Amino acid sequence: MNAQAQLPTAFDVQRIRADFPLLARSVHGKPLVYFDNANTSQKPHSVIEAVDQHYRLHNANVSRAVHLLGEEATAAYEGARDKLAAFLNAGSRNEIVLTSGTTQAINLVAYSYALPQLQPGDAIVTTVMDHHANIVPWQIVAARSGATVKPAPIDERGELIVEEYLKLLTPEVKLACVGHVSNVLGTVNPVRELARECRKRGIPLLVDGSQAVPHRPVDMQALGCDFYAITGHKMLAPTGTGVLWARKELLQAMPPFFGGGEMIREVRFSGTTFAEPPHRFEAGTPNIAGFAGVSAAIDYYASVGFEAIHAWEQQLLAYATERLREIPGLRIFGEAREKEPVISFLIDGAQATDLATLLDLQGVAVRSGHHCAHPLMQFYGVPATLRASLAFYNTREEIDAFITALLKVRKLLL
């Protein structure tokens, strides 16, 4: 049975698309086909309205006033923490540190957890397919401490070579890291297996979940990792929002990363005592309106359901892959047996940037470049790829329009 025939009929994608105002616009006189979802997702009306309502009706700072607006702002901000704790199935709301995104979350672990304990000769493990946000912070703290960063290899299909990853988990390793889903290849990594093996060796595992949470439910208690970082803007929520989930005992032992207001218990020139986690790590005025949007995004996911989302996206991935294979000279990077709806590719004789520029003129938005994954590009021996990343509000008709535009662009370039 072909991919088109397998598409579920109960999923009302047109009703869902009506919830996303930007999807209705035109680009260069053409209907927009937005296939850059791994970069950032579009936002439904409910998220946009939640942000708007905060500024129109509730705008005040959190935890600093007893007046009604201050109480409402605090309730919205702390309410987002509660929703995120449930969304991630955290053991406690106090395991949820609200951040500006995955990058800040990982840097928090790098400077507050890793750096204080790293010594010359120690090591941190990551992978060749990881995003720069899960490589560069480790390189910085390793350089400061005399430690090293060890990359685990992948195979040509874009799958992590698990046995090689495990070989790297030697006694000098103080932290292991992995992306749950590759932002370039869509590969789903075996986080539970890695977490189980890390626990046997007493090595904490950090997972970059940025590309997982838009597509599948994640369960902190089931995954078994020790740190998990996500970013809001890839999961329907505003930019400048994110989460670090960490085990309570790890947060309790970590010193603050940023200093300032709201993260203290008492300040004296003789010494400062800090607030308990998670507030210890949330200095200054947060993105209150953004986290009001995060709450609305979580509600939206609940209204659609991840089972339906995953089924629809997998069918779109299969259909898009099938159609792309029809194009002469096209090479797909990443053929993992389990992957999310991300397809990176090149066409022989054409530059990725040229393809993306000409596709934009046809109304198709895709990403070209190294995708913040230089080591992965080096592994495949290419400077860049073109990436089409799908979401549950995309359609088979958009895939057809994309293929038509790609064939036209290919003809112009070749």
Side-chain angles (χ1 to χ4, degrees):
M1 185 181 296
N2 64 35
Q4 179 178 351
Q6 292 176 352
L7 285 168
T9 57
F11 192 79
D12 190 352
V13 68
Q14 294 303 326
R15 181 192 63 77
I16 287 169
R17 287 177 64 81
D19 292 334
F20 291 81
L22 192 137
L23 298 180
R25 72 163 290 183
S26 297
V27 175
H28 302 300
K30 305 286 198 308
L32 172 66
V33 174
Y34 186 78
F35 282 0
D36 196 19
N37 295 285
N39 196 358
T40 194
S41 66
Q42 295 306 326
K43 320 305 177 194
H45 284 292
S46 59
V47 169
I48 297 168
E49 289 165 2
V51 175
D52 179 76
Q53 287 290 94
H54 172 79
Y55 284 124
R56 287 182 184 274
L57 299 177
H58 311 293
N59 185 44
N61 215 328
V62 296
S63 306
R64 298 183 186 181
V66 296
H67 57 69
L68 180 61
L69 294 183
E71 291 178 354
E72 290 173 346
T74 301
Y77 183 67
E78 293 298 332
R81 194 187 313 276
D82 290 328
K83 284 197 176 180
L84 284 159
F87 183 70
L88 297 173
N89 195 25
S92 163
R93 72 187 308 274
N94 293 329
E95 296 176 338
I96 301 294
V97 180
L98 303 182
T99 71
S100 64
T102 293
T103 298
Q104 185 189 351
I106 292 176
N107 275 272
L108 169 56
V109 178
Y111 287 95
S112 185
Y113 176 79
L115 185 58
Q117 64 175 308
L118 287 173
Q119 302 291 330
D122 288 342
I124 297 170
V125 171
T126 186
T127 81
V128 167
M129 75 173 80
D130 268 294
H131 189 282
H132 293 164
N134 207 13
I135 297 174
V136 177
W138 312 125
Q139 291 178 323
I140 293 173
V141 296
R144 291 189 183 185
S145 62
T148 58
V149 177
K150 298 181 178 180
I154 64 172
D155 60 24
E156 281 292 324
R157 296 180 64 170
E159 294 183 333
L160 181 66
I161 305 175
V162 173
E163 56 270 27
E164 295 299 324
Y165 189 101
L166 299 184
K167 286 180 184 177
L168 293 175
L169 299 179
T170 52
E172 65 269 19
V173 173
K174 296 299 184 286
L175 182 69
C177 310
V178 70
H180 198 160
V181 173
S182 167
N183 71 305
V184 181
L185 308 174
T187 303
V188 180
N189 284 312
V191 170
R192 290 190 189 188
E193 179 183 354
L194 298 180
R196 184 173 62 249
E197 294 300 324
C198 284
R199 274 199 310 278
K200 289 179 183 177
R201 296 161 174 82
I203 300 171
L205 177 67
L206 178 142
V207 180
D208 173 356
S210 298
Q211 299 292 339
V213 290
H215 305 293
R216 55 175 53 212
V218 293
D219 184 332
M220 296 305 98
Q221 308 210 41
L223 285 179
C225 59
D226 300 278
F227 300 99
Y228 197 92
I230 68 173
T231 195
H233 74 92
K234 298 182 191 299
M235 49 169 281
L236 311 183
T239 55
T241 60
V243 170
L244 170 67
W245 169 85
R247 295 191 185 281
K248 187 186 302 183
E249 60 272 22
L250 294 174
L251 289 177
Q252 288 284 358
M254 289 163 56
F257 177 27
F258 294 116
E262 298 308 314
M263 47 75 69
I264 51 83
R265 182 175 294 160
E266 184 178 16
V267 176
R268 295 177 181 269
F269 282 107
S270 59
T272 293
T273 56
F274 301 114
E276 290 295 306
H279 297 96
R280 178 186 301 174
F281 306 106
E282 297 176 9
T285 298
N287 185 358
I288 308 163
F291 280 101
V294 169
S295 288
I298 291 172
D299 289 343
Y300 192 87
Y301 276 120
S303 73
V304 180
F306 271 112
E307 184 177 352
I309 287 170
H310 188 69
W312 181 260
E313 289 181 341
Q314 287 297 306
Q315 298 300 337
L316 291 178
L317 172 62
Y319 183 64
T321 303
E322 179 184 290
R323 292 300 318 273
L324 283 168
R325 292 193 195 284
E326 299 170 3
I327 298 176
L330 187 142
R331 176 189 177 189
I332 293 175
F333 298 87
E335 301 278 4
R337 286 161 289 188
E338 184 181 5
K339 62 182 290 185
E340 294 297 358
V342 177
I343 310 172
S344 287
F345 63 94
L346 284 175
I347 294 177
D348 290 343
Q351 297 294 320
T353 302
D354 294 339
L355 288 166
T357 301
L358 292 174
L359 283 170
D360 178 59
L361 296 175
Q362 300 299 313
V364 178
V366 293
R367 174 88 180 266
S368 63
H370 55 72
H371 316 293
C372 296
H374 277 150
L376 184 58
M377 297 296 107
Q378 293 156 13
F379 171 79
Y380 282 113
V382 297
T385 67
L386 204 67
R387 183 184 71 189
S389 49
L390 311 178
F392 64 95
Y393 44 67
N394 290 130
T395 67
R396 182 175 61 84
E397 290 76 18
E398 287 183 306
I399 293 169
D400 290 338
F402 164 56
I403 297 299
T404 299
L406 192 57
L407 287 167
K408 180 177 180 180
V409 166
R410 178 185 179 276
K411 187 174 181 180
L412 288 172
L413 290 175
L414 303 179

